[in-house]
Amino acid sequence: MSYVAITGVGSCLPKRQVTNDDLVARGVDTSDDWIRDRSGIGARHIVSEGESTLTLAVGAGRMALANAGVAPEDIGVVIVATSTQEYAGFPSTACLVQHELGIGSVPAFDMAAACTGFNYALTTAHHFITGGPAKHALVIAADALSSIINWADRGTCVLFGDGAGAVVLSASDSPGILSEQLYSDGSLGDILKVDQGEPRETFEGTHDALAPYVFMEGRKVFKVAVESIVKSVTHCLLDAGITADDLTHVVFHQANQRIMSVVGDKLNIAPEKLAMTIEKYGNTSAASIPITLDDLNKQGALKAGDLVLMVGFGGGFTWATTLVKWTKS
Ligand code: UT7
């Protein structure tokens, strides 16, 4: 069994939904029209009392295990891609997930690659299975970016939402993961970063002088994202020996509907192949790809043999493309 395939998928969203109009009512100097027009976002979910990166990660992980029919004790490695770890530093969110889900004493660690974290974690888990004793891996992407947003900055606060998505990867007799392209360019670190600034305004309206938060040069990120995705996807398709016509579904990181449409046009991907959850969930950072994959699965849109392209990009700057053949029926 020298191949690795996705055998389960799940997701978890916070219970509190915040619409664009809710943000206007909260006092953000914006409008539903502006947010929809510039990003495609209509609402996002934000953690409230009793919810955090960990609870979302556990919820998504539990659902992916059930969907795969894999018992917690059969998981050989746990990876959580996140920029909002439950604790700053340690213990890792992955170790807490391992305990909460009753997984054995296997390697568990977090991975920091911002919105590209899911792709990075998939590749890492893939190598754990092909190169080690693990037969199954639990890969979770979970972020609660609302906790590192400055709610006084309308250029960022309207874009992000919280959530988690997860997959189980398993050793397989037939190919699942077909191609993986991971990239980084630290010279672009400044265009999207978490840093100290003026006291951060929380969603509740209090101010925290010591809290770092997200800074983004939106237009630059937009341009770099489009250029890097086009190159990365082109390389991935060449590597796999296929064309855009062969793809069944394309799951872009849900940062901006316009980015997805522009890139789709440049790559000649038929618009109906672009999976989108941005309207209802906003940009959930690393979680957006597995959340959208789970959305497709729940719609019954994923069939055995489908070719699914998953494309991440974000802070670092990092970007990545993963091509999988869906093997679940
Ligand atoms: O997951 C991480 C990756 N992130 C991304 O991929 C984000 C990439 N960038 C973007 O998605 C877009 O650049 C944004 C959605 C962030 C912004 O859209 P834009 O078309 O680039 O707008 P802009 O930043 O150039 O701002 C245009 C105008 C400005 O006003 P003036 O200077 O023209 O008077 C902004 O002050 O829109 C104003 N503006 C807003 N107006 C209403 C900025 N934010 C808002 C807002 N509501 N929330």
Coordinates of all heavy atoms in Angstrom, one line a residue, residues 11-18 43-48 51-53 55-57 84 141-149 151 157 159-165 203-204 280-288 291:
S11 N -16.1 19.1 9.4 CA -15.9 20.6 9.6 C -16.7 21.0 10.9 O -17.6 20.3 11.3 CB -16.3 21.4 8.4 OG -17.7 21.3 8.2
C12 N -16.3 22.1 11.4 CA -17.1 22.7 12.6 C -17.0 24.2 12.5 O -15.9 24.8 12.4 CB -16.4 22.1 13.8 SG -17.2 22.6 15.4
L13 N -18.1 24.8 12.6 CA -18.2 26.3 12.6 C -18.8 26.7 14.0 O -19.6 26.1 14.6 CB -19.2 26.7 11.5 CG -18.7 26.9 10.1 CD1 -17.6 27.9 10.0 CD2 -18.3 25.6 9.5
P14 N -18.3 27.9 14.5 CA -18.9 28.4 15.7 C -20.4 28.7 15.5 O -20.9 28.9 14.4 CB -18.2 29.8 15.9 CG -17.0 29.7 15.0 CD -17.3 28.8 13.9
K15 N -21.1 28.7 16.7 CA -22.6 28.8 16.6 C -23.0 30.3 16.2 O -24.0 30.5 15.6 CB -23.3 28.3 17.8 CG -22.8 28.9 19.1 CD -23.5 28.3 20.3 CE -23.1 28.8 21.6 NZ -21.7 28.4 22.0
R16 N -22.2 31.3 16.6 CA -22.6 32.7 16.4 C -22.3 33.1 14.9 O -21.2 33.1 14.5 CB -21.8 33.6 17.3 CG -22.1 35.1 17.0 CD -21.6 36.0 18.1 NE -20.2 36.0 18.4 CZ -19.6 36.7 19.3 NH1 -20.3 37.5 20.1 NH2 -18.3 36.7 19.4
Q17 N -23.4 33.5 14.2 CA -23.2 34.0 12.8 C -23.3 35.5 12.9 O -24.1 36.1 13.5 CB -24.3 33.4 11.9 CG -24.1 33.7 10.5 CD -25.3 33.7 9.6 OE1 -26.4 34.2 10.0 NE2 -25.3 33.1 8.5
V18 N -22.3 36.1 12.2 CA -22.3 37.6 12.1 C -22.4 38.0 10.6 O -21.5 37.8 9.8 CB -21.0 38.2 12.7 CG1 -20.9 39.7 12.6 CG2 -20.8 37.7 14.2
A43 N -21.5 36.7 5.2 CA -21.6 36.5 6.7 C -20.3 35.7 7.1 O -19.6 35.2 6.2 CB -22.8 35.7 7.1
R44 N -20.1 35.6 8.4 CA -19.0 34.8 8.9 C -19.4 34.3 10.3 O -20.4 34.8 10.8 CB -17.6 35.5 9.0 CG -17.5 36.6 10.0 CD -18.3 37.9 9.8 NE -17.8 38.6 8.6 CZ -18.7 39.3 7.8 NH1 -20.0 39.3 8.0 NH2 -18.2 39.9 6.8
H45 N -18.8 33.2 10.8 CA -19.1 32.7 12.1 C -17.9 33.1 13.0 O -16.8 33.0 12.6 CB -19.3 31.2 12.1 CG -20.5 30.8 11.4 ND1 -21.5 30.1 12.1 CD2 -21.0 31.0 10.2 CE1 -22.5 29.8 11.2 NE2 -22.2 30.4 10.1
I46 N -18.2 33.5 14.2 CA -17.2 33.9 15.2 C -17.4 33.2 16.5 O -18.5 33.1 17.0 CB -17.3 35.5 15.3 CG1 -16.8 36.1 14.0 CG2 -16.5 36.0 16.5 CD1 -16.9 37.6 14.0
V47 N -16.3 32.8 17.1 CA -16.4 32.1 18.4 C -17.0 33.0 19.5 O -16.8 34.2 19.5 CB -15.0 31.6 18.9 CG1 -14.5 30.4 18.0 CG2 -14.0 32.7 19.0
S48 N -17.7 32.3 20.4 CA -18.3 33.0 21.5 C -18.0 32.1 22.8 O -17.3 31.1 22.6 CB -19.7 33.3 21.4 OG -20.5 32.2 21.0
E51 N -16.2 28.5 23.1 CA -15.7 28.1 21.8 C -14.3 28.6 21.6 O -14.0 29.7 22.1 CB -16.6 28.5 20.7 CG -18.0 27.9 20.7 CD -18.8 28.4 19.6 OE1 -18.8 29.7 19.4 OE2 -19.6 27.7 18.9
S52 N -13.4 27.9 20.9 CA -12.1 28.3 20.7 C -11.5 27.5 19.6 O -12.2 26.6 19.0 CB -11.2 28.1 22.0 OG -11.1 26.7 22.2
T53 N -10.3 27.8 19.2 CA -9.6 27.0 18.2 C -9.7 25.5 18.5 O -10.0 24.6 17.7 CB -8.1 27.4 18.0 OG1 -8.0 28.7 17.6 CG2 -7.4 26.5 17.0
T55 N -11.9 23.8 20.5 CA -13.3 23.1 20.4 C -13.6 22.9 18.9 O -14.2 21.9 18.5 CB -14.4 24.0 21.1 OG1 -14.6 25.2 20.4 CG2 -14.0 24.2 22.5
L56 N -13.2 23.9 18.1 CA -13.5 23.8 16.6 C -12.7 22.6 16.0 O -13.3 21.8 15.2 CB -13.2 25.1 15.9 CG -14.0 26.3 16.3 CD1 -13.4 27.6 15.6 CD2 -15.5 26.2 16.1
A57 N -11.4 22.5 16.4 CA -10.6 21.5 15.9 C -11.1 20.1 16.3 O -11.1 19.2 15.5 CB -9.1 21.7 16.4
T84 N -3.7 30.4 15.2 CA -4.3 30.8 16.5 C -4.3 29.6 17.5 O -5.4 29.2 17.9 CB -5.7 31.4 16.3 OG1 -6.5 30.4 15.7 CG2 -5.7 32.6 15.5
A141 N -7.3 21.7 10.1 CA -7.0 23.1 10.0 C -8.0 23.9 10.8 O -9.2 23.7 10.5 CB -7.0 23.5 8.5
A142 N -7.5 24.6 11.8 CA -8.5 25.3 12.7 C -8.0 26.7 13.0 O -6.8 26.9 13.3 CB -8.6 24.5 14.0
D143 N -8.8 27.7 12.8 CA -8.4 29.1 13.1 C -9.6 29.9 13.7 O -10.7 29.7 13.2 CB -7.9 29.8 11.8 CG -6.4 29.6 11.6 OD1 -5.7 29.8 12.6 OD2 -6.0 29.3 10.5
A144 N -9.2 30.7 14.7 CA -10.2 31.6 15.2 C -9.6 33.0 15.1 O -9.1 33.6 16.0 CB -10.5 31.3 16.7
L145 N -9.5 33.4 13.8 CA -8.8 34.7 13.5 C -9.5 35.9 14.1 O -8.9 37.0 14.3 CB -8.7 34.9 12.0 CG -7.2 34.8 11.5 CD1 -6.6 33.4 11.8 CD2 -7.1 35.1 10.0
S146 N -10.8 35.7 14.5 CA -11.5 36.9 15.2 C -10.7 37.3 16.4 O -10.8 38.5 16.9 CB -12.9 36.5 15.6 OG -12.9 35.4 16.5
S147 N -9.9 36.4 17.0 CA -9.1 36.7 18.2 C -7.8 37.5 17.9 O -7.2 38.0 18.9 CB -8.8 35.5 19.0 OG -8.0 34.6 18.3
I148 N -7.4 37.6 16.7 CA -6.2 38.4 16.3 C -6.5 39.4 15.2 O -5.7 39.7 14.4 CB -5.0 37.4 15.9 CG1 -5.4 36.5 14.8 CG2 -4.5 36.7 17.1 CD1 -4.2 35.9 14.1
I149 N -7.8 39.8 15.2 CA -8.2 40.9 14.3 C -8.4 42.2 15.1 O -8.9 42.1 16.2 CB -9.6 40.5 13.6 CG1 -9.4 39.4 12.6 CG2 -10.2 41.7 12.9 CD1 -8.5 39.7 11.5
W151 N -10.6 45.0 15.4 CA -12.0 45.3 14.9 C -12.2 46.7 14.6 O -13.3 47.1 14.2 CB -13.0 44.7 15.9 CG -13.0 43.2 15.8 CD1 -12.2 42.3 16.5 CD2 -13.8 42.4 14.9 NE1 -12.5 41.0 16.0 CE2 -13.4 41.0 15.1 CE3 -14.7 42.7 13.9 CZ2 -14.0 40.0 14.3 CZ3 -15.3 41.7 13.1 CH2 -14.9 40.3 13.4
C157 N -11.2 43.5 9.2 CA -12.2 42.8 10.1 C -13.4 42.3 9.4 O -14.1 41.4 9.9 CB -12.6 43.8 11.3 SG -13.8 45.1 10.8
L159 N -13.4 40.7 6.7 CA -13.0 39.5 5.8 C -13.0 38.2 6.4 O -13.3 37.2 5.8 CB -11.7 39.8 5.1 CG -11.5 41.1 4.4 CD1 -10.1 41.3 3.9 CD2 -12.4 41.1 3.1
F160 N -12.6 38.2 7.7 CA -12.2 36.9 8.3 C -13.4 36.3 9.2 O -14.2 37.0 9.7 CB -11.0 37.0 9.2 CG -9.8 37.4 8.3 CD1 -9.3 38.7 8.2 CD2 -9.1 36.4 7.6 CE1 -8.2 39.0 7.5 CE2 -8.0 36.7 6.8 CZ -7.5 38.0 6.8
G161 N -13.4 35.0 9.3 CA -14.3 34.2 10.1 C -13.6 33.1 10.8 O -12.4 32.8 10.5
D162 N -14.2 32.4 11.7 CA -13.6 31.3 12.5 C -14.2 30.0 12.0 O -15.3 29.9 11.5 CB -13.9 31.5 14.0 CG -13.4 32.8 14.5 OD1 -12.5 33.4 13.9 OD2 -13.9 33.3 15.6
G163 N -13.4 28.9 12.1 CA -13.9 27.6 11.8 C -12.8 26.6 11.7 O -11.6 26.9 11.9
A164 N -13.2 25.3 11.5 CA -12.2 24.3 11.4 C -12.7 23.2 10.4 O -13.9 23.0 10.3 CB -12.0 23.6 12.8
G165 N -11.7 22.6 9.7 CA -12.0 21.5 8.8 C -11.0 20.5 9.0 O -9.9 20.7 9.5
F203 N -13.7 42.2 19.3 CA -15.1 42.2 18.7 C -16.1 42.8 19.7 O -17.0 43.4 19.3 CB -15.5 40.7 18.4 CG -16.8 40.7 17.7 CD1 -17.0 41.2 16.4 CD2 -17.9 40.2 18.3 CE1 -18.2 41.1 15.7 CE2 -19.2 40.1 17.7 CZ -19.3 40.6 16.4
E204 N -15.8 42.6 21.0 CA -16.7 43.1 22.1 C -16.5 44.6 22.3 O -17.3 45.2 23.0 CB -16.5 42.3 23.4 CG -17.1 40.9 23.4 CD -16.3 39.9 22.5 OE1 -15.1 40.1 22.3 OE2 -17.0 39.0 21.9
K280 N -21.0 32.4 2.9 CA -21.6 32.1 4.2 C -20.6 32.1 5.3 O -20.9 32.3 6.5 CB -22.4 30.8 4.2 CG -21.7 29.6 3.6 CD -22.7 28.5 3.4 CE -22.1 27.3 2.8 NZ -23.0 26.1 2.6
Y281 N -19.3 31.8 5.0 CA -18.3 31.7 6.1 C -17.1 32.7 6.1 O -16.3 32.7 7.0 CB -17.7 30.3 6.1 CG -18.7 29.1 6.1 CD1 -18.5 28.0 5.4 CD2 -19.8 29.2 7.0 CE1 -19.5 26.9 5.5 CE2 -20.7 28.2 7.1 CZ -20.5 27.1 6.3 OH -21.4 26.0 6.4
G282 N -17.0 33.5 5.0 CA -15.9 34.4 4.9 C -14.6 33.7 4.8 O -14.5 32.5 4.3
N283 N -13.5 34.4 5.1 CA -12.1 33.8 5.0 C -11.8 33.1 6.4 O -11.5 33.8 7.3 CB -11.2 34.9 4.7 CG -9.7 34.4 4.6 OD1 -9.4 33.3 5.0 ND2 -8.8 35.2 4.0
T284 N -11.8 31.8 6.4 CA -11.5 31.1 7.7 C -10.1 30.6 7.7 O -9.7 29.6 8.4 CB -12.5 29.9 7.9 OG1 -12.5 29.1 6.7 CG2 -13.9 30.4 8.2
S285 N -9.2 31.3 7.0 CA -7.8 31.1 7.0 C -7.5 29.6 6.6 O -8.1 29.1 5.7 CB -7.2 31.4 8.4 OG -5.8 31.4 8.4
A286 N -6.6 28.9 7.4 CA -6.2 27.5 7.0 C -7.4 26.6 6.8 O -7.4 25.6 6.1 CB -5.2 27.0 8.0
A287 N -8.5 26.9 7.6 CA -9.6 26.0 7.6 C -10.5 26.1 6.3 O -11.3 25.2 6.1 CB -10.5 26.3 8.8
S288 N -10.3 27.1 5.5 CA -11.3 27.3 4.5 C -11.3 26.2 3.4 O -12.4 25.9 2.9 CB -11.1 28.7 3.8 OG -10.1 28.6 2.8
I291 N -13.1 23.0 5.0 CA -14.5 23.4 5.3 C -15.2 23.3 3.9 O -16.3 22.7 3.9 CB -14.6 24.8 5.9 CG1 -14.2 24.8 7.4 CG2 -16.1 25.3 5.7 CD1 -14.2 26.2 8.0

